[in-house]
Amino acid sequence: MFFRLLRLVLLLALVVSAPLSFGAAAQGLARAPAGLVADQQKILQDLTTKTDNLEKKIQQDSEGDASLVDIRLQLEELSRNSLNSALAFRPRLAEINARLDQLGAPPAAGQPPEPDIVTAERQALASEKAEINAVIATAQNLSIRVSGLIDRIGNMRSELFRNLLTKRYVLSDALSPEVVSDAHEEFTGFYKAVSSWLIFAFKFKFQAVLAATLMALALAAVLLVGGRRLFGRVFEADPGVEDPSYLSRLSVAFWSTLLPTLAVGAFLVSTVFFFNYYNVLRGDIGVFLNALVAVIAVVFCVNRLTNAALEPQLPNWRLIPVETGPARWLVRLTTAMAVVIGVNNFLSVVNDKMGSPLSVTIARSFVATIVVGVILILMGLLKPFKASDGTWRPWPTWLRYTSVALGLFTIAAALLGYIGLAIFVSLQVVVTGTILVTAYIGFLSARAIGEEGGFADTSIGRWLSANSSYDETALDQLGLVVSVAINLMIVLVFLPLILLMWGFQPGDIQAWGYKLATGLTIGSVTISVTGILTGVVVFIIGYFLTRWFQGWLDGSVMARGKVDTGVRNSIRLAVGYAGVAVAALVGVSAAGIDLSNLALVAGALSLGIGFGLQNVVSNFVSGLILLAERPFKVGDWIVAGDTTGTVKKISVRATEIETFQRQSVILPNSNLINNAVGNWTHRNKLGRVDIKVGVAYGSDVKRVHALLLEIARSHPLVLKNPEPFVLFANFGAAALDFEIRVFLADVLNGNVVQNDIRFAILDIFSSEHIEIPSTPRAVVETKKHEAWPIDDDKIEAEFAERELAEAEAAVEKKRLAKSGRKARKPDPD
């Protein structure tokens, strides 16, 4: 009674509190996003303020390309933040729309009114939705404004680049005597700045300078010694090789350029890094040092490339078949051109930092372009080849004219006052040409390594062949991997360098890399390289985890549990397929692909299954049924139609059966499901073997029966229970037929047992004088005609008969001719 009253009280409490809780929930739903709207409004206000400041900064730094790139990066970040601010309302809008759908439309005129609480909630939700839409509109407008500023920066940078190439300077000021004094003053200022820094560094930062220098030298030593130990055979030409292969020359030229350049670059960069880390560098000195590091790296790379391609000391390793003297001149001219361009760039940095007069800058650039043009003309006019008759031959026509034309163009542009264009052309000839030639040699080397047998001919391939178990096929496959890796490395290393040389800033490459990583939108499809790589990595990890779990489950758990081989195989396959499927789904999700978008693909696949993939799906489903029901397992002896053998492998599409002749037969799983299959070892290997034998009529059948039963019982592989049995089967046409029936623990030993019993029957029947009859065969005698003796008498007799017949025919013909009658045809026989 007490419990009934308690339930009644609780029920009344719930009924009374239901409207109150409904109203509280509605108010809570309405109040929930108030903080979210305020937070996003504040964020948008901050973004708008930053956008205003960046717009002002665009006007101030309109002449600086690097500053404009930095501003563009900041604007792109603001655009992403504004879009994220708008996307923050997406869950709340989904909740509001779902709730409005639940409340439904307001009652029409003439219908009963709805409760006031429902009307109030609908109005609150509608008001909140309008407020959120206003904030979203603000974010969208800010994003549109930022996009306009980004486009404006792009147009300004294009205009700056055009002005750089097309601006014409007056050379009269640059060639006046005042330039010498201005240059002397600038050199004096530069010398004072550097000397004052050196005095300060050695007086107050000596320990830091020493530590930074020693650490940079230690890193350089590690790179140099370690690189030579690891890659010495790769980038060092062997003077003892008289006729190196084209692949060897390509590899040495490419790696002897790339690896030392990277080592020197790492040393220089580490030096600057440690100097900055120990606060050794001053602002202006840091700028000078960075420019000097870039010059040293470029000159070193150009010199290494020309020496690697031309090899003045080792003609047999030379990529270009020029003579030794011209090869040395080409190395000198190319290095000199790189030095001129490098020094000009370094002095341009010094001029900008020191605030030098424009005349000094023009004079410096003018001299550098004239020198580069002269060097290009000299290189084009050089005769590097020697004919068989001893005469010197020039470069090919197209190459000679191109070099001379570039030199003349650079000199003409400088003389006409287009200094910026002349410097740009000179820089591209030296630096971009070096980068392109190195990359081209790298591509050729990668292609040669990827060819059949190419990697095995390299020093690394020969070392692997001698010190590992890799065969030629494995080395070829490894060569393909190495070829792809080299091509990818060339693109990743040299493409940014080329872009930088053509006026792009690091910020441009950073922005492109961010877009490529986060996603490129093509129409309604977004392609994210990072997402794709993440999905691939996740799938690979899931695949290897599945394989590891399969091996552990099969080798450690089921093997110790003495699980049947067939059961182990079924479980291993099921775990493998399930793991790969899960890894694929997780990988697709990690790649950012919405699985719901695959509905169309699934529909197309369903249509394809309905038409062309019926057999494939039938075999797949049949394979799953075989793995689940296990009518046979691996190792079973089955009979499927005309095929008899042992099951070797069960997959989801087909089953592999090995016949007793060691022939592998692949049967589709649907055939094994739809047709009758006999399994000799389904539940166990117990089976019966029958041996038939016949004895002659007149034999003692009871004695025969006893002897056969004794033979069967005496065999060690024949089971005692069920005991063997001898059947007097039939009165045959030529023999009395008996049949021995024995049971074996392993029916796979049936052939051995039959063979042994038959030998025993022959031995015992022979000793007991019991005859095993055979079927009689009729003997047909053929009558032979007496052959005519082959001798001279036969030949003479035949010749005489022919002569007599011809004489009689001639006499008859004359008689008929005299009588005037025609010869009568002979009567038919």
Side-chain angles (χ1 to χ4, degrees):
M1 184 67 181
F2 173 75
F3 290 106
R4 291 182 179 177
L5 291 175
L6 182 61
R7 286 199 299 268
L8 182 60
V9 172
L10 291 175
L11 181 61
L12 291 174
L14 289 174
V15 171
V16 172
S17 62
L20 297 177
S21 61
F22 179 79
Q27 294 175 3
L29 185 66
R31 288 194 302 268
L36 178 63
V37 172
D39 293 341
Q40 297 303 321
Q41 286 177 342
K42 183 178 180 180
I43 291 174
L44 290 176
Q45 289 178 357
D46 294 339
L47 295 178
T48 303
T49 303
K50 292 180 180 179
T51 304
D52 295 337
N53 294 332
L54 290 177
E55 188 173 7
K56 295 177 181 178
K57 195 173 181 181
I58 291 174
Q59 299 295 335
Q60 298 173 359
D61 300 336
S62 59
E63 298 297 328
D65 187 69
S67 300
L68 292 177
V69 172
D70 183 64
I71 295 172
R72 193 192 71 177
L73 291 177
Q74 298 181 42
L75 288 173
E76 290 178 348
E77 182 67 23
L78 293 178
S79 178
R80 289 191 292 269
N81 292 336
S82 64
L83 292 178
N84 292 333
S85 179
L87 294 176
F89 293 104
R90 180 178 294 177
R92 180 56 187 163
L93 284 176
E95 293 177 2
I96 293 175
N97 292 329
R99 184 57 183 164
L100 289 175
D101 292 339
Q102 292 177 357
L103 295 177
Q111 294 183 353
E114 62 183 1
D116 294 338
I117 188 171
V118 176
T119 304
E121 182 181 1
R122 183 185 293 106
Q123 293 176 354
L125 292 175
S127 175
E128 178 190 348
K129 185 176 181 180
E131 187 176 3
I132 291 175
N133 288 333
V135 177
I136 292 176
T138 302
Q140 292 176 346
N141 292 332
L142 180 61
S143 178
I144 294 173
R145 179 188 174 191
V146 170
S147 298
L149 292 176
I150 293 175
D151 294 338
R152 179 182 171 186
I153 289 176
N155 295 331
M156 293 175 65
R157 292 185 62 203
S158 300
E159 186 65 25
L160 285 176
F161 186 71
R162 285 194 296 270
N163 291 336
L164 175 66
L165 298 183
T166 59
K167 186 176 181 179
R168 186 175 182 181
Y169 297 92
V170 179
L171 297 180
S172 58
D173 297 335
L175 300 178
S176 63
E178 298 178 356
V179 174
V180 178
S181 59
D182 293 338
H184 182 268
E185 292 179 1
E186 181 181 356
F187 176 76
T188 303
F190 175 71
Y191 175 77
K192 291 180 179 180
V194 174
S195 60
S196 63
W197 172 78
L198 289 175
I199 294 172
F200 167 79
F202 280 97
K203 183 178 293 187
F204 300 101
K205 295 285 187 177
F206 178 75
Q207 294 182 351
V209 170
L210 183 62
T213 305
L214 290 178
M215 294 180 69
L217 288 175
L219 179 60
V222 170
L223 290 175
L224 183 62
V225 177
R228 288 191 176 276
R229 286 184 175 272
L230 292 176
F231 305 104
R233 296 181 179 179
V234 177
F235 65 83
E236 288 184 354
D238 188 1
V241 180
E242 296 182 358
D243 188 18
S245 64
Y246 182 65
L247 173 60
S248 299
R249 288 182 289 159
L250 280 175
S251 299
V252 168
F254 177 68
W255 294 110
S256 63
T257 301
L258 183 63
L259 294 179
T261 302
L262 291 177
V264 172
F267 165 69
L268 296 174
V269 171
S270 63
T271 302
V272 175
F273 171 78
F274 287 125
F275 276 12
N276 286 322
Y277 180 80
Y278 289 109
N279 295 322
V280 175
L281 297 179
R282 203 171 57 196
D284 55 346
I285 301 300
V287 174
F288 298 155
L289 185 59
N290 290 332
L292 183 61
V293 163
V295 171
I296 294 174
V298 170
V299 173
F300 181 82
C301 179
V302 172
N303 182 262
R304 289 295 304 182
L305 176 62
T306 52
N307 276 284
L310 298 175
E311 284 291 350
Q313 304 298 330
L314 299 173
N316 52 339
W317 285 90
R318 201 168 290 161
L319 277 180
I320 304 174
V322 298
E323 295 299 322
T324 302
R328 291 194 180 97
W329 275 108
L330 286 173
V331 171
R332 295 166 186 168
L333 291 175
T334 307
T335 306
M337 189 163 50
V339 171
V340 171
I341 292 296
V343 171
N344 178 70
N345 287 340
F346 175 74
L347 293 179
S348 67
V349 174
V350 174
N351 292 338
D352 293 339
K353 198 65 180 178
M354 301 292 295
S356 302
L358 181 61
S359 58
V360 175
T361 302
I362 296 175
R364 167 186 51 79
S365 300
F366 178 79
V367 173
T369 53
I370 293 296
V371 172
V372 170
V374 171
I375 292 176
L376 285 174
I377 294 174
L378 292 177
M379 293 175 64
L381 297 178
L382 189 67
K383 295 181 178 182
F385 306 107
K386 197 171 185 179
S388 57
D389 56 357
T391 59
W392 292 93
R393 293 187 295 110
W395 294 104
T397 304
W398 66 271
L399 183 58
R400 183 171 71 254
Y401 286 167
T402 301
S403 179
V404 173
L406 286 174
L408 292 176
F409 177 81
T410 304
I411 295 174
L415 293 175
L416 293 175
Y418 295 101
I419 304 296
L421 178 60
I423 286 292
F424 180 79
V425 173
S426 302
L427 190 64
Q428 303 315 313
V429 168
V430 177
V431 182
T432 305
T434 302
I435 295 172
L436 291 177
V437 170
T438 307
Y440 180 68
I441 294 175
F443 283 128
L444 291 179
S445 177
R447 186 175 66 180
I449 290 175
E451 293 180 353
E452 185 175 359
F455 184 72
D457 292 336
T458 62
S459 58
I460 297 178
R462 289 190 293 270
W463 183 86
L464 287 175
S465 179
N467 297 277
S468 66
S469 59
Y470 288 112
D471 55 4
E472 293 183 0
T473 303
L475 289 176
D476 282 340
Q477 294 174 351
L478 185 60
L480 290 176
V481 175
V482 172
S483 176
V484 173
I486 292 175
N487 286 324
L488 184 61
M489 182 199 67
I490 291 171
V491 173
L492 294 178
V493 172
F494 291 99
L495 182 60
L497 294 177
I498 294 174
L499 293 176
L500 291 175
M501 296 310 303
W502 279 85
F504 294 96
Q505 298 293 333
D508 296 322
I509 301 175
Q510 178 184 350
W512 295 337
Y514 182 83
K515 290 181 180 179
L516 189 64
T518 55
L520 293 175
T521 302
I522 303 176
S524 60
V525 179
T526 301
I527 301 175
S528 174
V529 176
T530 304
I532 293 175
L533 292 178
T534 302
V536 172
V537 171
V538 169
F539 174 76
I540 292 174
I541 293 174
Y543 177 81
F544 282 106
L545 285 177
T546 300
R547 295 306 180 206
W548 171 82
F549 182 74
Q550 276 184 295
W552 175 80
L553 183 65
D554 185 34
S556 300
V557 178
M558 293 189 291
R560 293 182 180 180
K562 306 299 181 183
V563 180
D564 183 73
T565 305
V567 177
R568 289 169 57 183
N569 180 69
S570 299
I571 294 176
R572 184 174 66 252
L573 288 177
V575 170
Y577 290 129
V580 171
V582 171
L585 291 176
V586 174
V588 169
S589 300
I593 300 175
D594 189 1
L595 295 178
S596 61
N597 293 334
L598 299 179
L600 182 61
V601 178
L605 286 177
S606 301
L607 184 62
I609 289 171
F611 286 99
L613 303 179
Q614 292 181 359
N615 293 333
V616 175
V617 175
S618 176
N619 291 325
F620 178 79
V621 175
S622 299
L624 297 179
I625 294 173
L626 291 177
L627 292 174
E629 293 186 355
R630 298 180 59 248
F632 53 82
K633 56 188 179 296
V634 174
D636 281 358
W637 176 14
I638 67 172
V639 179
D642 297 333
T643 304
T644 301
T646 305
V647 178
K648 288 297 182 182
K649 182 180 179 182
I650 304 174
S651 61
V652 292
R653 191 197 67 83
T655 298
E656 180 183 350
I657 300 174
E658 185 179 289
T659 65
F660 298 112
Q661 292 81 21
R662 293 293 186 260
Q663 180 190 24
S664 294
V665 180
I666 310 299
L667 288 180
N669 289 329
S670 59
N671 293 354
L672 300 174
I673 290 292
N674 299 327
N675 300 322
V677 177
N679 191 346
W680 284 91
T681 56
H682 181 42
R683 293 182 177 85
N684 51 55
K685 294 184 178 181
L686 177 66
R688 194 185 80 183
V689 175
D690 301 339
I691 304 102
K692 296 180 180 180
V693 62
V695 298
Y697 277 92
S699 302
D700 187 354
V701 293
K702 292 185 178 181
R703 178 62 178 165
V704 171
H705 183 275
L707 291 174
L708 294 177
L709 191 59
E710 180 183 354
I711 293 171
R713 289 174 176 173
S714 63
H715 199 283
L717 296 180
V718 175
L719 295 177
K720 308 302 179 183
N721 185 22
E723 64 178 355
F725 177 73
V726 177
L727 175 66
F728 188 180
N730 191 20
F731 295 96
L736 301 173
D737 297 331
F738 288 84
E739 186 174 317
I740 303 175
R741 298 177 178 178
V742 296
F743 290 88
L744 307 178
D746 189 352
V747 73
L748 298 178
N749 295 324
N751 290 333
V752 176
V753 173
Q754 292 182 51
N755 200 45
D756 294 343
I757 290 178
R758 289 191 178 102
F759 277 116
I761 290 172
L762 286 176
D763 293 341
I764 292 180
F765 278 15
S766 176
S767 62
E768 294 290 335
H769 303 289
I770 298 174
E771 182 184 357
I772 300 177
S774 60
T775 303
R777 297 181 179 178
V779 179
V780 180
E781 295 183 359
T782 57
K783 185 178 180 180
K784 297 182 179 179
H785 298 281
E786 184 178 355
W788 184 274
I790 302 176
D791 52 10
D792 296 338
D793 295 338
K794 177 183 177 182
I795 298 175
E796 292 176 358
E798 292 177 349
F799 181 77
E801 289 179 358
R802 286 198 302 271
E803 291 289 334
L804 180 60
E806 291 177 357
E808 291 178 351
V811 172
E812 181 66 18
K813 185 176 181 181
K814 290 179 180 180
R815 187 179 64 83
L816 293 175
K818 290 179 178 180
S819 61
R821 291 182 300 173
K822 294 181 179 180
R824 187 168 56 91
K825 294 182 179 179
D827 296 332
D829 294 336

